[in-house]
Amino acid sequence: MAAHAQSATDMQGQINSLSAQLTAISAKLQSVEAQQARERAAEQAETAQRKADAQSLEVRQTREEAQIAAANAAAASQPGLAPLRAEQQSLNTTYVTKGVLPGSFIVPGTDTSIRISGFVNLQGEYNPTENLGPKFSIGNLDPSGPARSATKGDFQFNSKVSRLVVQSSTPSDYGPITTNFAIDLWGFVNGGDYNQALQNNSYSARIVFAYGTIGPFALGMMNSNFIDNNDTPETMDFAGPAGLPAERTEQLRYTWTANKTSIVSLAAENPQSGYQDTRDNIEVASKTEPMPDFSLRYQYTTDLLHLQLSGVLRDIAYEDGYGHRSSHVTGATIIGAQVNLGALATAFGQDNIGGQYWTGSIGRYIPDDFGGNVASVLAVNNGTTGTPQTIQTKLQDDQGFALYYQHFWMPTLRSTVTIGYNHDNLAAFLPADTSNAVATKTVAANLLWQVVPTADVGVEFWLGQKQYQKSTGVAPQNAAKVLFGGVWHF
């Protein structure tokens, strides 16, 4: 009996021990289940937060995309522009991924998107008449003679137009804040464009664009608000047709998008004027600039037509160092247009036709590739002997036009034919100088092949004529040039 009782007691102890173990195991299971439930809840909360963040980011990015597109449209980055025109490679139009600028990345720890892009350009050029430089600077043509004959049959390669572009975009309560910075290799070189290092062909870098935008405001160096980039022919030659207005300058600009088709912009631009005097000082910069150049531009854009009307108001001043100052308030205008013929009839495909006309005291807004006096909007009569005091000053205005037709032989093969004319009203009292071009004329044709979406190669032929002052007794002279090469975008 005693042994049986002891056995029963032992069994009860084992049962109690097993029960306690089961209770502990159950508690542990409940704890694990609770932990797992908390982890699942945390994971679900994290997933929900990620989805909410992604949705918020997508909403913000969509909003910024619309703002960026509107800002770029206001900055006149129009679709369908010629890819070889260097000025037209600087601005973006749309996002290609969720976030920021096309091909850009977000700087870690910030909301700023960075995009690095640009293009590499290489062109060969043959000058059968005279070495006029890397651009077809017909205004620099010398009269027939030994000096010109010595440089005819000239061949060169150059890659000076190659460009590096860095852009950023940061969201703000005022819309995206953007910065745009670009450099190329067309910097000033003492002795001229071809005076480069003999061993390594080095070029000098220069700032092409350096500006920022916030809302409708843009500040910094960019293409002048006055010029018309959109109605410009596609040429391999960097200068384009004779006298075509082209200028980059520091400025403060306000852009107002009136509606889907109309944009108005007003800018105060860095003033700069030059003068030419009777002592044969060609294109000397004035020492005094009374006020900024004020430019106003209107652009109208549809699928069929792009139209631009622009004007600039300037105060051209000169002081002779002897207490005499001359000031002329003047201005200039440009009207340009491009018609996309495919919008009229599908048979035209991507063909387009366009041009622009300019008149007034343009001066520095026309490149100085067309004669030593082109930027000299002011002529000064200060005698030829004795003390160079001012006798008379006269504004020298320009009139000119450029017309072009672009035909697509197939989607990847195209040609552009263009003509250009510019006339400068030189003062009658200026001395005879064969550097002066009274009028310049050019005609060009090219054939361009888009080998891949990021690369174009082609060939281009130019003819030009320079008209000299009558007092030189030199008849109009002709020149030619052949270009070939390509541009690779990245």
Side-chain angles (χ1 to χ4, degrees):
M1 292 288 293
H4 179 72
Q6 182 63 41
S7 176
T9 300
D10 293 342
M11 184 176 295
Q12 185 63 45
Q14 292 175 1
I15 291 172
N16 292 340
S17 175
L18 289 173
S19 177
Q21 292 177 7
L22 288 173
T23 301
I25 291 172
S26 177
K28 287 182 179 180
L29 287 174
Q30 291 176 354
S31 176
V32 170
E33 289 176 351
Q35 179 64 29
Q36 290 177 339
R38 288 194 297 272
E39 291 178 353
R40 283 194 300 270
E43 184 176 352
Q44 290 172 352
E46 183 178 357
T47 300
Q49 185 62 43
R50 283 200 301 268
K51 289 181 178 179
D53 290 343
Q55 291 173 350
S56 176
L57 178 61
E58 185 172 356
V59 170
R60 177 177 67 82
Q61 291 168 342
T62 300
R63 182 177 65 251
E64 288 182 12
E65 176 182 0
Q67 292 170 333
I68 286 280
N72 285 337
S77 179
Q78 305 294 342
L81 297 178
L84 288 180
R85 294 299 296 170
E87 295 88 346
Q88 297 164 357
Q89 304 299 324
S90 63
L91 301 175
N92 299 298
T93 54
T94 59
Y95 287 100
V96 294
T97 59
K98 289 183 172 177
V100 268
L101 304 170
S104 65
F105 61 92
I106 297 178
V107 178
T110 74
D111 289 333
T112 299
S113 303
I114 298 292
R115 178 178 186 246
I116 300 174
S117 61
F119 56 88
V120 174
N121 173 278
L122 175 68
Q123 66 181 36
E125 52 197 51
Y126 178 71
N127 294 280
T129 313
E130 181 183 10
N131 179 357
L132 298 174
K135 295 178 276 189
F136 190 53
S137 306
I138 187 63
N140 294 332
L141 182 65
D142 291 319
S144 298
R148 194 173 87 180
S149 298
T151 64
K152 70 179 182 179
D154 174 74
F155 176 84
Q156 295 285 341
F157 275 125
N158 88 76
S159 55
K160 296 165 72 72
V161 184
S162 299
R163 183 166 300 177
L164 175 65
V165 180
V166 179
Q167 299 166 286
S168 75
S169 178
T170 305
S172 79
D173 294 337
Y174 303 98
I177 299 174
T178 72
T179 62
N180 302 266
F181 183 78
I183 61 173
D184 68 10
L185 303 174
W186 209 293
F188 174 79
V189 179
N190 286 324
D193 289 316
Y194 282 137
N195 189 22
Q196 57 198 28
L198 297 179
Q199 291 182 326
N200 56 22
N201 293 288
S202 294
Y203 299 126
S204 176
R206 68 170 183 175
I207 295 176
V208 180
F209 299 112
Y211 68 94
T213 69
I214 177 169
F217 296 97
L219 304 89
M221 175 176 279
M222 63 195 98
N223 286 329
S224 168
N225 186 55
F226 171 59
I227 66 172
D228 186 359
N229 274 335
N230 297 291
D231 305 314
T232 298
E234 180 181 26
T235 63
M236 296 179 66
D237 183 271
F238 189 55
L244 187 71
E247 177 71 6
R248 306 178 336 277
T249 184
E250 292 88 353
Q251 61 190 278
L252 306 177
R253 184 189 298 182
Y254 176 82
T255 300
W256 175 52
T257 303
N259 50 50
K260 293 182 179 181
T261 60
S262 297
I263 298 174
V264 179
S265 52
L266 173 68
E269 305 189 9
N270 182 49
Q272 188 180 53
S273 57
Y275 68 90
Q276 181 179 13
D277 68 14
T278 52
R279 290 173 180 261
D280 223 15
N281 291 322
I282 305 298
E283 198 180 335
V284 179
S286 176
K287 294 182 179 180
T288 177
E289 303 290 351
M291 71 176 192
D293 290 356
F294 292 101
S295 62
L296 179 65
R297 177 171 66 178
Y298 168 75
Q299 294 187 88
Y300 174 82
T301 305
T302 65
D303 292 338
L304 171 65
L305 173 70
H306 177 271
L307 173 68
Q308 172 171 315
L309 297 172
S310 58
V312 62
L313 179 68
R314 313 178 66 195
D315 190 348
I316 308 299
Y318 163 79
E319 65 86 24
D320 60 7
Y322 294 89
H324 180 274
R325 171 171 168 156
S326 174
S327 178
H328 300 265
V329 176
T330 182
T333 59
I334 294 176
I335 179 171
Q338 175 178 290
V339 178
N340 299 315
L341 299 175
L344 292 174
T346 56
F348 285 110
Q350 302 178 64
D351 288 12
N352 58 85
I353 186 170
Q356 51 185 283
Y357 169 80
W358 56 90
T359 183
S361 300
I362 294 181
R364 54 84 65 93
Y365 292 96
I366 288 182
D368 58 359
D369 314 311
F370 301 95
N373 65 286
V374 170
S376 305
V377 69
L378 191 66
V380 177
N381 184 352
N382 56 1
T384 57
T385 62
T387 303
Q389 292 186 339
T390 304
I391 301 172
Q392 179 185 3
T393 62
K394 179 185 182 298
L395 289 173
Q396 302 185 130
D397 57 331
D398 292 84
Q399 293 81 37
F401 67 88
L403 297 173
Y404 63 90
Y405 182 90
Q406 185 174 51
H407 173 65
F408 282 76
W409 305 98
M410 57 182 66
T412 59
L413 190 67
R414 63 195 185 276
S415 292
T416 300
V417 176
T418 179
I419 61 174
Y421 173 82
N422 188 55
H423 183 272
D424 195 9
N425 296 311
L426 296 180
F429 57 71
L430 288 176
D433 190 338
T434 56
S435 294
N436 290 339
V438 175
T440 54
K441 308 170 187 177
T442 58
V443 59
N446 60 36
L447 181 65
L448 304 173
W449 175 35
Q450 186 181 50
V451 184
V452 294
T454 58
D456 293 275
V457 297
V459 62
E460 188 168 86
F461 179 71
W462 284 84
L463 285 175
Q465 183 183 85
K466 174 181 178 180
Q467 180 181 336
Y468 303 81
Q469 291 171 275
K470 289 183 178 180
S471 54
T472 63
V474 179
Q477 303 284 301
N478 302 323
K481 186 171 188 173
V482 179
L483 300 174
F484 61 93
V487 56
W488 292 260
H489 304 281
F490 62 88

